[in-house]
Amino acid sequence: MRLPRFSGPEAFGFLSILSFLSINPTYAINFTPVPSPNLDLSQLGRVALTGNFDSLALYTYQNQNATQISTNGSQALSARLPNGDFQSLAMSDGAINAMCPFYRKTGGLYGVIIGGNFTSIGNVEVQGIALYNVTDNSVIPLPGLNGSVNSVWCDQQTDAVFVGGDFKGSNSANALVWFALTGWSNMPFQGFNAPVNAITQATNGNIIWGGSFTGLANMSTPTAQDEQIVNLSSANISATGSTSTAGFGDPQNIICKTDGQDGPNSTWLLQDETPGSFGADFNFGFQPTKLRLWNTHQDGRGTKTWRFTNNPNSILRFYFLDPDNNNQNSTCDQTCPLSSNPKVQFQDFYFEPSIGINSFSIDISDWYGSGGGLDGIELFENDIYAYAVSDLNEPQCETASSRSGATSTGPWTVTPSGNSVAEYLTANLTGPGVDSSSASVTFLPDIKQAGNYTVTVYTPGCKQDNTCGQRGQANITGIFTATGAAKPVQATIFQTNDFDKYDQIYNGPVDASDGFRPSIILSPLDSQNSSISLTALRVRFQLEDPSSIGLNGLYEYDPSNVTANTDFKRSKIDSIGVALDQGADVRSVVPLNGAVWVAGNFTSQNASNILGIAPTNDTIILPAGGLNGGINVLTPYSVLLFAGGSFNDTNATHTPGLTNVAQYDTNQKTWSALGNGVNGPVTSIVELSMNITENVPEECITVNGPFTQVLATDGHPAFTVDGFAIWVPERNAWLSNLGLPTEAIGGQLTMSVNVTGSMPLLSGTIASFGISLSDSAELTASSGVPALAPSGLKIQQGAGNTGLQKRAANAHTANATGVVTGLIDTTGGRNLTIFGGHFDAQSSNGANISNLVIINDANNQSTGLPSSVDSNSTFVSLSTNGNYLYAGGVVTGDANGTPINGLVVWDMASSTFNSSSPPALGGGTVSVNAIATRPNTEELYVGGVFDFAGNLGCPTVCFFTGGQWSRPGTDLNGGNVTGMLWQGNNNLLAVGSGLTVGTQQSSVAAYDAAGQSWSIPNGASNIPGPISALSPASSDGSSYWVAGQDPHANPFLMLYSNNNFQPAPALGAQSYIRGLSVLSLTQQHASNNFIDPSLTLLVTGNLVLPDFGNCSGVLFDGNNYTAFLLSNEGDGPGSVGQVVAEQPQSFNTSVSHLALGYVVLIALAIALAIIFLLMALGLLIERRRRRAEGYRPAPQNYFEKTANMNRIPPERLFGNLNAPNAPRV
């Protein structure tokens, strides 16, 4: 393929990317897993987590974080981690509109081409297009474009990338081609006269372009050229060699002077016989096309030769008509002539080529008479600009009543140009809820010729003025025709770009009639959430060449030809476009099933907004004539075409459910619905693989756009979304309606491309937040590797945009929302999981449960408390004793007619309130934040914020026993208890804020139940603020952990051990710690002064980990914090509250546990050894006893059996057996 390449002064700079040519074509995106936390949860039984989150994830891969969806217009190039999360590979400061993997003709991936409306990717300055290297995650600029890219097509056969959009580059507009070896080249037809939206390749290899264009060739200048006057009045004017003659030495004399009259204060002269120069330095950049000079004739003087230097040292070339040589075409550079003929009023010199300048000098080298001089100077440009800074617009001396200008209202200040083309206005507006009327700039261009114009708005980059964190969105209102005021053009643009950019906001007719002035109003978008820095730079009107017509949104180009086809009738595709009604806007062109499918906003006699082109180039008219509204996107999937836009039916017949999204089967030639669609426009449809069941990947279709609801269908109610929904084609259903626990994904997708040997690359604001788990989850661990699962709690989905019915809790509950606390009860054969907090959940029969849920894990049934407990209650503490559940917090209502305040007692056996519940607490806003039963007693201690228990004055801590409240000692006089811990049978530890013992205040207090007295532990004065979390650090509670925030919102974590508080390393500022839990490990860590090597401390809350960011749980090994839990709530980070365990943590330290089999064998061996020793000892004792008693060995002689038989006669032995007294048996 041979196309004319750029050369000479118009060439693109592509050498910066040539170093990429040696890149090894091997490619892969690698993800690094983090080491296992080695948790041993076996001794805890079942473990659950509570908190305030919509989704929860474990930190398993580097660069994984608690993602927040971008709302400032920036997007990311992303890939999926093996755990389903999305890893951002490179952030852009604007929209990514197009991507394609670029495979070289010689084989191997060269990189991924990325196009869009951005000025930087991965902190690399790029203008609309870049090359991404998947091997080393680098971004390579492709300099040469100025504007935005809408579509790219990578063609391996020609080693080329075809690029379309709304841009200019060298001699082309809106279409260019980039070659791997040589860089940018003009297309033979030099682009189109309006933006390109889509590019694809037909089966014959031809490139098909789609857009809103009506003809070839680049954008043209107005018929009356060089009519925009550059404002020299605002420049810094200087001169060298000026005369000292009064009235003639000031170079300002010739500014805004066009009458050609000589005289004092009207003419600038040089000293006699002396060369000199006239200079101008501007605070904006421009591209002049014509220089107009008036020569002086004062006293026979005048300039004979001169040159124009574009500072610092570039001498420019001109062409002109020479009046002294019969107006012949002439050129000059070093010595340009200026006529001295008095009949020549002025001379025009045309820049060849026209280039951008912001400083110049006219150097006079020869003169007429005694010296040189000038009577006037003007510069002109073709571009029609209106600047926000009025001094940069056409000069006030311009006589035209319609000279360009701008007016403004609001707190605008002028900002230096920095790296921008000109000074601009900045308004710092206070939020939240910025009002659109708080500031505005109205641009008024100098339009001298009516016609079709492309209108663009320029935005200065935010890096140069350090406002990237404050930039927001701007609303653009344009009135372009005399009848347009009734329906002005509206557009919204982001101003968060790192470097200068421009946005096309209109393409169409602009009037230039008497009495009408086109205008553009820039103002802040209403109701932005924070204070913003709004900027206004300039707008540009560019006239389309009215002679370049003949197309209508479609153009077919054969890349094997070096010349472009301008006989549009020769191409069937061009003819199909021409046959459409005028004004066609083609937005998507895709190949599928052997045909090319075209969609957008167009109509014809038989087609509406979509049609197909068969391989034979015959038009395929879709059933029902297409769709009845504009289509923004077509996405092929198998034999299906998914269409998204603004429509609600087919064009000719009725097909229900086609609301803004539909699918077309190219085999069956039928339309079908995605449920009943969505309630707003669809802007992109992107394929995405999801693990729906049993970790089996399933291809899904993501639907993206500014919609807020997926409509009800097939018995499923409508559900709220934030511009993102997932359709499962194989199940013909929305993912949310399948009732499966799945990944929680938010944001939007704009593009997806498959890269051989690597994960698919995605673009947009997409983010994965882990598993869709609301406010509670089950935590397990196998071989030290943790996992998450649903807890059984079903948080209700609400109708609002928040998605979940969670309400803000009272400040006494440590700012708690969602699920605050929990308890697992297995006593008496029960198997219950109990959650308390401030939420709405769903019972087993579908009824609403407020704030406290009892889940019977044996039958999966969920119940709650009666409605007599106020629904605005918040439970923050739970405890059980026998069949009774004690639930405390900010709780009000009544139990069987008895008022409730702070504490409720529920009989779990009978599912009723306890008939002998404690009298209500009192004193202002009551909150029971901690409940602890004294060991081996029936004494129930409660702590929180209260003054009375029934009629008993009992501030802050009170205990209930024997049917009545009692005050524990008299030394504690007030405060807020947030946690309590028994240290043995007689010592109670209470923590919180403002605990007043006697006259001293502390964050911690200790109670001696035997002596009925309170005291403040040693070193408590070192605690910097209120305590929000407490955990034992030893089996007897003598050592313990506390955490909280100081008055400056800085977090602290401290260990009490050896009668003193020892501060641990600090977490990031603004961290709020809600829970502390000591857990066992399967592998030991290094020894330290804080925690045993076999244990770790889990810190939960809303945390900030230095050098990492937001997280909801970290593991502390005594030396370092490691991210463990990540959560999200709505559009921001979530918070994990407590770890709820079935059994308490054991504090056996530094013991290596043998397997059970080895323990049994060793025990058996020890038992046998003991038995053997006992037997041996017994034998020794018996031997000694017998020796002491005179024991002798029995004789060993053998006697004959009959030896003594004659000593007793037999009759003496048996003779009297028959006697009366003989013994009987």
Side-chain angles (χ1 to χ4, degrees):
M1 175 181 180
R2 295 189 299 121
L3 293 175
R5 294 193 295 270
F6 299 141
S7 60
E10 300 160 355
F12 278 101
F14 58 82
L15 293 178
S16 61
I17 57 92
L18 293 183
S19 60
F20 186 59
L21 300 179
S22 61
I23 287 179
N24 192 318
T26 60
Y27 35 86
I29 299 174
N30 296 315
F31 305 108
T32 305
V34 299
S36 168
N38 299 317
L39 293 184
D40 180 6
L41 305 180
S42 58
Q43 60 180 291
L44 299 180
R46 289 170 46 223
V47 179
L49 302 171
T50 70
N52 185 25
F53 48 82
D54 296 337
S55 57
L56 189 64
L58 296 166
Y59 178 64
T60 53
Y61 285 87
Q62 291 182 11
N63 300 321
Q64 181 186 354
N65 52 39
T67 309
Q68 296 186 44
I69 298 173
S70 170
T71 58
N72 65 354
S74 62
Q75 294 185 2
L77 179 68
S78 304
R80 300 202 76 176
L81 294 168
N83 65 357
D85 196 7
F86 294 89
Q87 178 176 338
S88 174
L89 303 174
M91 286 295 299
S92 75
D93 65 347
I96 296 176
N97 300 328
M99 294 192 296
C100 65
F102 186 24
Y103 295 94
R104 291 293 307 277
K105 188 175 183 178
T106 54
L109 179 70
Y110 193 68
V112 176
I113 301 292
I114 305 172
N117 186 15
F118 47 74
T119 65
S120 72
I121 297 181
N123 294 318
V124 177
E125 183 176 0
V126 292
Q127 283 289 337
I129 192 166
L131 183 67
Y132 175 73
N133 178 7
V134 299
T135 304
D136 60 6
N137 195 34
S138 62
V139 175
I140 297 92
L142 304 179
L145 295 187
N146 186 12
S148 63
V149 171
N150 296 331
S151 185
V152 293
W153 184 266
C154 296
D155 184 16
Q156 185 175 10
Q157 294 303 313
T158 58
D159 257 357
V161 179
F162 295 92
V163 182
D166 176 23
F167 55 77
K168 294 185 69 174
S170 187
N171 293 327
S172 290
N174 305 318
L176 280 170
V177 62
W178 185 82
F179 291 101
L181 292 176
T182 57
W184 293 106
S185 283
N186 285 311
M187 302 300 298
F189 49 88
Q190 294 189 326
F192 300 94
N193 65 354
V196 172
N197 299 323
I199 308 172
T200 194
Q201 193 166 34
T203 54
N204 60 4
N206 288 354
I207 304 299
I208 301 174
W209 308 75
S212 57
F213 48 81
T214 59
L216 300 178
N218 62 335
M219 307 292 282
S220 178
T221 57
T223 302
Q225 297 186 24
D226 315 314
E227 290 298 309
Q228 180 102 5
I229 300 176
V230 178
N231 191 347
L232 288 169
S233 302
S234 62
N236 180 23
I237 303 299
S238 61
T240 62
S242 298
T243 182
S244 58
T245 304
F248 291 95
D250 188 357
Q252 291 280 357
N253 292 345
I254 62 174
I255 303 299
C256 268
K257 180 176 178 294
T258 59
D259 58 7
Q261 298 297 316
D262 290 317
N265 301 319
S266 293
T267 302
W268 169 67
L269 298 179
L270 295 176
Q271 298 176 24
D272 290 350
E273 308 296 333
T274 302
S277 66
F278 171 94
D281 296 314
F282 299 82
N283 51 9
F284 63 99
F286 58 97
Q287 190 169 335
T289 55
K290 182 175 69 175
L291 169 67
R292 177 171 290 176
L293 293 176
W294 283 262
N295 207 349
T296 181
H297 307 287
Q298 179 75 33
D299 300 328
R301 294 169 174 261
T303 296
K304 180 181 290 187
T305 60
W306 55 278
R307 69 181 185 187
F308 187 100
T309 303
N310 180 16
N311 293 331
N313 53 16
S314 176
I315 300 172
L316 301 189
R317 183 178 179 85
F318 295 90
Y319 68 91
F320 64 100
L321 299 179
D322 189 349
D324 294 335
N325 194 14
N326 296 321
N327 286 327
Q328 288 188 2
N329 288 321
S330 303
T331 60
C332 68
D333 44 37
Q334 291 279 2
T335 55
C336 292
L338 196 60
S339 175
S340 63
N341 186 346
K343 294 183 179 180
V344 179
Q345 184 180 7
F346 55 78
Q347 276 184 256
D348 289 338
F349 297 85
Y350 297 88
F351 290 85
E352 187 185 37
S354 175
I355 64 173
I357 67 174
N358 61 12
S359 176
F360 74 88
S361 65
I362 294 177
D363 306 313
I364 300 173
S365 56
D366 199 2
W367 47 86
Y368 300 105
S370 300
L374 293 171
D375 262 358
I377 181 174
E378 279 187 330
L379 282 169
F380 299 83
E381 60 181 335
N382 286 337
D383 295 329
I384 303 172
Y385 287 106
Y387 290 85
V389 177
S390 295
D391 289 346
L392 308 184
N393 289 305
E394 290 182 298
Q396 294 295 318
C397 57
E398 164 67 12
T399 57
S401 60
S402 61
R403 61 175 172 264
S404 63
T407 60
S408 62
T409 62
W412 296 98
T413 58
V414 176
T415 302
S417 60
N419 294 323
S420 294
V421 295
E423 292 178 334
Y424 53 93
L425 297 181
T426 300
N428 295 315
L429 307 176
T430 303
V434 173
D435 190 342
S436 61
S437 64
S438 58
S440 67
V441 172
T442 301
F443 297 92
L444 302 168
D446 182 5
I447 302 296
K448 293 181 170 64
Q449 177 185 353
N452 284 334
Y453 285 80
T454 296
V455 181
T456 52
V457 174
Y458 286 74
T459 303
C462 63
K463 282 193 171 182
Q464 62 189 4
D465 58 11
N466 296 317
T467 60
C468 292
Q470 293 78 47
R471 292 286 186 92
Q473 291 177 268
N475 188 63
I476 308 296
T477 303
I479 301 175
F480 303 109
T481 62
T483 59
K487 191 177 181 180
V489 174
Q490 298 284 348
T492 299
I493 62 172
F494 282 96
Q495 295 198 326
T496 52
N497 45 292
D498 291 341
F499 305 96
D500 282 13
K501 70 158 184 173
Y502 67 76
D503 294 278
Q504 177 185 315
I505 55 106
Y506 178 73
N507 178 264
V510 175
D511 286 348
S513 58
D514 292 339
F516 171 74
R517 188 80 182 273
S519 64
I520 293 177
I521 301 173
L522 182 149
S523 60
L525 186 68
D526 268 327
S527 303
Q528 298 186 64
N529 292 331
S530 59
S531 300
I532 66 166
S533 179
L534 186 69
T535 63
L537 176 53
R538 67 178 181 176
V539 300
R540 180 184 70 186
F541 284 67
Q542 202 163 29
L543 181 63
E544 297 178 8
D545 183 356
S547 63
S548 179
I549 58 175
L551 296 175
N552 192 23
L554 281 174
Y555 180 66
E556 181 181 15
Y557 167 67
D558 183 354
S560 64
N561 291 336
V562 296
T563 59
N565 170 39
T566 57
D567 183 3
F568 305 138
K569 294 180 182 179
R570 290 168 49 192
S571 167
K572 184 67 175 180
I573 291 178
D574 295 351
S575 299
I576 290 173
V578 172
L580 300 175
D581 295 339
Q582 283 300 308
D585 182 12
V586 174
R587 300 171 184 171
S588 188
V589 182
V590 298
L592 179 66
N593 220 358
V596 172
W597 303 88
V598 180
N601 193 354
F602 55 79
T603 57
S604 70
Q605 184 177 358
N606 299 312
S608 177
N609 301 308
I610 183 171
L611 56 83
I613 304 174
T616 57
N617 280 345
D618 293 327
T619 305
I620 302 173
I621 304 300
L622 274 65
L627 298 172
N628 65 355
I631 298 173
N632 296 321
V633 60
L634 284 181
T635 298
Y637 172 79
S638 183
V639 297
L640 302 177
L641 274 176
F642 286 91
S646 299
F647 48 81
N648 56 29
D649 207 343
T650 52
N651 190 49
T653 61
H654 176 57
T655 304
L658 305 185
T659 310
N660 301 312
V661 62
Q663 67 180 17
Y664 178 75
D665 190 320
T666 58
N667 280 348
Q668 302 298 323
K669 297 180 174 54
T670 56
W671 287 104
S672 56
L674 279 63
N676 274 320
V678 297
N679 71 339
V682 172
T683 55
S684 65
I685 298 176
V686 181
E687 188 175 342
L688 181 68
S689 180
M690 298 277 294
N691 289 334
I692 294 181
T693 55
E694 299 178 356
N695 293 323
V696 177
E698 196 163 333
E699 293 305 311
C700 299
I701 298 296
T702 68
V703 180
N704 309 265
F707 52 86
T708 60
Q709 193 178 69
V710 174
L711 301 178
T713 179
D714 296 332
H716 296 285
F719 58 90
T720 300
V721 294
D722 192 11
F724 180 82
I726 299 176
W727 177 258
V728 187
E730 301 304 322
R731 301 170 186 250
N732 200 37
W734 295 106
L735 178 60
S736 295
N737 288 337
L738 295 178
L740 302 172
T742 57
E743 304 163 73
I745 297 178
Q748 292 190 358
L749 278 174
T750 58
M751 288 291 298
S752 173
V753 294
N754 293 318
V755 179
T756 303
S758 180
M759 301 287 287
L761 293 182
L762 308 164
S763 66
T765 59
I766 194 71
S768 175
F769 308 115
I771 306 175
S772 293
L773 299 170
S774 291
D775 296 346
S776 67
E778 185 174 333
L779 177 65
T780 61
S782 176
S783 301
V785 179
L788 296 171
S791 67
L793 177 63
K794 297 180 180 179
I795 294 291
Q796 287 243 52
Q797 184 175 19
N801 287 336
T802 58
L804 298 177
Q805 292 290 330
K806 305 174 190 174
R807 304 174 295 275
N810 187 281
H812 291 301
T813 63
N815 298 319
T817 56
V819 176
V820 180
T821 186
L823 184 149
I824 299 174
D825 179 26
T826 57
T827 59
R830 292 190 295 267
N831 187 11
L832 304 179
T833 302
I834 306 169
F835 291 114
H838 202 67
F839 55 84
D840 284 341
Q842 191 177 60
S843 70
S844 304
N845 60 8
N848 184 69
I849 303 175
S850 294
N851 309 320
L852 191 142
V853 174
I854 302 173
I855 304 172
N856 189 335
D857 295 297
N859 56 19
N860 219 14
Q861 298 294 304
S862 299
T863 58
L865 299 181
S867 59
S868 60
V869 179
D870 292 340
S871 61
N872 61 353
S873 297
T874 302
F875 291 93
V876 297
S877 55
L878 299 172
S879 181
T880 59
N881 190 355
N883 290 329
Y884 295 122
L885 169 67
Y886 297 90
V890 182
V891 185
T892 56
D894 70 83
N896 300 327
T898 301
I900 297 172
N901 197 7
L903 181 70
V904 64
V905 183
W906 182 252
D907 189 331
M908 294 182 288
S910 61
S911 295
T912 60
F913 290 112
N914 182 17
S915 58
S916 57
S917 294
L921 301 170
T925 301
V926 172
S927 177
V928 173
N929 302 327
I931 304 174
T933 301
R934 183 179 177 184
N936 302 318
T937 72
E938 295 296 318
E939 297 177 3
L940 181 79
Y941 282 72
V942 298
V945 180
F946 48 83
D947 297 323
F948 301 96
N951 295 321
L952 175 68
C954 191
T956 309
V957 175
C958 209
F959 71 93
F960 185 79
T961 186
Q964 64 180 14
W965 287 108
S966 297
R967 181 177 181 181
T970 59
D971 302 330
L972 185 63
N973 299 314
N976 178 10
V977 169
T978 57
M980 295 192 301
L981 171 67
W982 280 100
Q983 301 168 308
N985 294 334
N986 295 317
N987 297 313
L988 175 68
L989 183 74
V991 300
S993 62
L995 302 180
T996 306
V997 179
T999 59
Q1000 289 184 293
Q1001 284 196 348
S1002 175
S1003 296
V1004 60
Y1007 175 64
D1008 182 352
Q1012 297 187 12
S1013 63
W1014 288 89
S1015 62
I1016 297 176
N1018 182 53
S1021 59
N1022 295 324
I1023 300 174
I1027 294 174
S1028 58
L1030 168 69
S1031 173
S1034 61
S1035 56
D1036 60 0
S1038 60
S1039 298
Y1040 53 88
W1041 292 95
V1042 295
Q1045 277 187 337
D1046 68 13
H1048 304 290
N1050 296 312
F1052 65 84
L1053 174 65
M1054 306 183 80
L1055 172 67
Y1056 182 81
S1057 181
N1058 298 322
N1059 294 319
N1060 205 358
F1061 287 93
Q1062 187 177 357
L1067 287 165
Q1070 305 299 317
S1071 293
Y1072 186 81
I1073 298 173
R1074 295 181 59 185
L1076 300 171
S1077 300
V1078 177
L1079 303 175
S1080 297
L1081 297 174
T1082 59
Q1083 296 183 18
Q1084 296 187 6
H1085 56 70
S1087 298
N1088 58 81
N1089 295 328
F1090 284 102
I1091 194 165
D1092 188 85
S1094 65
L1095 302 174
T1096 188
L1097 179 68
L1098 173 58
V1099 183
T1100 54
N1102 191 344
L1103 312 176
V1104 178
L1105 189 59
D1107 300 323
F1108 179 85
N1110 293 311
C1111 54
S1112 300
V1114 298
L1115 294 171
F1116 178 59
D1117 64 2
N1119 292 310
N1120 301 296
Y1121 295 101
T1122 303
F1124 179 59
L1125 293 170
L1126 309 175
S1127 72
N1128 278 78
E1129 160 66 15
D1131 293 333
S1135 174
V1136 172
Q1138 297 181 5
V1139 175
V1140 180
E1142 181 180 344
Q1143 302 294 333
Q1145 170 66 41
S1146 171
F1147 290 90
N1148 295 328
T1149 58
S1150 300
V1151 177
S1152 298
H1153 301 286
L1154 292 174
L1156 181 61
Y1158 289 113
V1159 172
V1160 171
L1161 290 175
I1162 293 172
L1164 180 60
I1166 293 173
L1168 291 173
I1170 292 173
I1171 292 172
F1172 175 79
L1173 290 174
L1174 289 174
M1175 292 177 63
L1177 182 62
L1179 290 173
L1180 288 174
I1181 293 173
E1182 180 65 15
R1183 183 180 181 88
R1184 293 189 62 183
R1185 183 183 66 79
R1186 290 185 177 183
R1187 283 186 176 180
E1189 293 178 353
Y1191 168 78
R1192 286 176 172 77
Q1196 302 297 314
N1197 295 333
Y1198 179 79
F1199 294 96
E1200 289 290 336
K1201 295 180 181 180
T1202 61
N1204 291 320
M1205 291 296 292
N1206 58 355
R1207 294 185 182 184
I1208 302 176
E1211 61 273 13
R1212 293 288 300 272
L1213 279 173
F1214 307 108
N1216 53 359
L1217 288 177
N1218 295 322
N1221 295 326
R1224 297 287 191 269
V1225 179

